Amino acid sequence: MTTIAVLADPPREGLVMQRLAATSPLTEAECADLYAAAVRDVCAAAANSGGDLLVNYRPDDALPGEGDSEAELRAVVSDVAEDARFEVQVGETFAGRAGNTVSHLLETEETPSVAATRPESLFLTRQHIDEAAMKLRRSDVVLGPAPEGRVYYAGFREPVDFENAYEPPALATLTDRALDAGHDADFLPEVPVVETGGDLANALVAIRTRRKAGRLVPSHVADRLEGLGLVVESEGDRLAVTR
């Protein structure tokens, strides 16, 4: 059984999805609401899979402002993942926090396999998680590729060197770390992530077309985006979001 660690911050305005706020029409408040919806979708996918959900959050003294990170995240996921486990992250960088979590669970708690993901990986589904679990029976590392060399999911049966392991392109860096450690690597289908305005444009197209076709979408994010009056337009060979 795989433990899926969702590394999440409390959905506070100005703290989360800062790149998205800077590169799209969304305000910081709207980005915080969208992030909360993404936390719900990703945690629901993990909770409904064959694995165990672990919500990892940074300690309050490592974040700007005041608040209770654990309480805020518990309130967000309480109705979609009531059995979730919550633990504080340890580490200065995302790679450090992900690496500490994965290594601790594999080596100290002897968890069979561990995966790390983030709310920005909002297209992650239960099917992806269960497919990764099957692949982890044969391979030591399973990665979920995202556009531009990013990753939306990283599963491990054995630890690797996590120092700067998410250095862009993260997909290549993590693959190299796996191979350098003598491990086999396998891959999931490519899935979008949402970190920038360009990502949001592609996500909107995917969500709207999938909904029209009656296919699966990240429902909480889709509902949150529906009332924002966003329009996807073509700018040369790229898509952009306007209002």
Side-chain angles (χ1 to χ4, degrees):
M1 182 177 293
T2 302
T3 295
I4 302 96
V6 179
L7 279 70
D9 286 327
R12 298 174 190 167
E13 182 177 340
L15 172 64
V16 297
M17 289 188 161
Q18 295 179 37
R19 290 178 63 199
L20 181 61
T23 57
S24 78
L26 297 185
T27 66
E28 290 184 344
E30 289 168 338
C31 285
D33 289 342
L34 185 65
Y35 186 87
V39 171
R40 287 165 60 81
D41 281 324
V42 172
C43 288
N48 292 329
S49 74
D52 292 325
L53 170 61
L54 168 63
V55 179
N56 258 197
Y57 58 94
R58 287 189 281 174
D60 294 326
D61 60 8
L63 296 173
E66 297 182 358
D68 185 328
S69 299
E70 180 178 350
E72 291 173 55
L73 286 165
R74 282 186 180 275
V76 169
V77 305
S78 60
D79 62 336
V80 297
E82 59 182 16
D83 294 327
R85 172 182 169 187
F86 288 76
E87 285 190 356
V88 174
Q89 301 171 22
V90 178
E92 297 297 322
T93 65
F94 179 81
R97 294 190 293 272
N100 286 332
T101 297
V102 170
S103 299
H104 172 76
L105 290 170
L106 290 175
E107 297 173 344
T108 304
E109 298 193 14
E110 298 182 348
T111 306
S113 58
V114 182
T117 188
R118 299 183 298 159
E120 289 86 348
S121 304
L122 51 90
F123 283 91
L124 177 69
T125 66
R126 173 182 60 81
Q127 289 84 354
H128 293 129
I129 295 170
D130 290 342
E131 180 181 351
M134 294 293 292
K135 288 178 177 288
L136 281 166
R137 296 180 182 179
R138 303 184 301 272
S139 301
D140 296 317
V141 177
V142 173
L143 303 174
E148 300 177 357
R150 292 171 289 181
V151 295
Y152 65 90
Y153 183 97
F156 304 89
R157 200 174 62 191
E158 297 289 343
V160 301
D161 178 3
F162 281 98
E163 185 175 359
N164 299 320
Y166 283 81
E167 190 72 18
L171 180 64
T173 306
L174 284 165
T175 300
D176 287 343
R177 296 298 173 86
L179 299 179
D180 290 345
H183 303 323
D184 295 328
D186 203 350
F187 304 92
L188 297 170
E190 184 173 291
V191 166
V193 295
V194 176
E195 296 177 318
T196 68
D199 295 335
L200 178 62
N202 292 321
L204 278 166
V205 172
I207 287 171
R208 288 169 178 173
T209 53
R210 289 183 186 187
R211 270 197 160 173
K212 285 180 182 179
R215 310 304 294 179
L216 184 66
V217 298
S219 60
H220 296 99
V221 166
D223 290 344
R224 185 69 194 91
L225 289 172
E226 191 172 287
L228 295 179
L230 300 176
V231 177
V232 179
E233 296 181 342
S234 176
E235 292 186 350
D237 59 352
R238 305 186 67 177
L239 298 177
V241 179
T242 62
R243 267 194 166 116

